[in-house]
């Protein structure tokens, strides 16, 4: 998978495998009872929604708009970036 469309059309299992092998972890945030992990794909971002209560991935979504990154702004610290 190299494009956003290919990723979005892939099966859940293929998405899990691709994220594990080919993406770069960027950040994590809370969303209710879930944790949302942000990864960088080829030229898009991937969110993995995980339930600590049930210990399973609930959903995987991908996007390429900068507005999709807004929920992570509060989680980013300049200290984390070495600035």
């Amino acid at each position: 998978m190299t494009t956003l469309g290919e990723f979005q059309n892939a099966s859940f299992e293929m998405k899990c495998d691709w994220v594990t092998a080919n993406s770069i972890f960027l950040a994590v945030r809370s969303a209710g009872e879930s944790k949302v992990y942000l990864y960088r794909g080829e030229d898009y971002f991937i969110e993995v929604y995980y339930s600590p209560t049930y210990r399973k991935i609930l959903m995987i979504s991908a996007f390429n708009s900068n507005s999709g990154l807004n929920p992570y702004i509060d989680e980013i610290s300049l200290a984390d970036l070495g600035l």
Side-chain angles (χ1 to χ4, degrees), residues 1-49:
M1 277 180 277
T2 58
T3 69
L4 175 60
E6 289 172 332
F7 185 86
Q8 291 173 326
N9 290 321
S11 69
F12 181 79
E13 291 78 15
M14 288 180 71
K15 288 177 183 177
C16 289
D17 291 344
W18 196 91
V19 169
T20 301
N22 300 296
S23 65
I24 298 168
F25 172 77
L26 299 175
V28 64
R29 66 181 174 91
S30 294
E33 297 289 320
S34 299
K35 296 286 185 182
V36 184
Y37 295 88
L38 179 68
Y39 294 87
R40 176 79 174 149
E42 297 287 326
D43 60 351
Y44 50 91
F45 298 96
I46 303 160
E47 289 182 313
V48 177
Y49 290 76

Side-chain angles (χ1 to χ4, degrees), residues 24-77:
I24 298 168
F25 172 77
L26 299 175
V28 64
R29 66 181 174 91
S30 294
E33 297 289 320
S34 299
K35 296 286 185 182
V36 184
Y37 295 88
L38 179 68
Y39 294 87
R40 176 79 174 149
E42 297 287 326
D43 60 351
Y44 50 91
F45 298 96
I46 303 160
E47 289 182 313
V48 177
Y49 290 76
Y50 176 77
S51 169
T53 303
Y54 297 106
R55 296 182 178 179
K56 71 179 216 172
I57 295 172
L58 304 173
M59 179 177 77
I60 300 174
S61 65
F63 60 90
N64 62 0
S65 81
N66 289 339
S67 64
L69 298 173
N70 287 343
Y72 297 93
I73 291 174
D74 291 338
E75 305 297 325
I76 297 172
S77 163

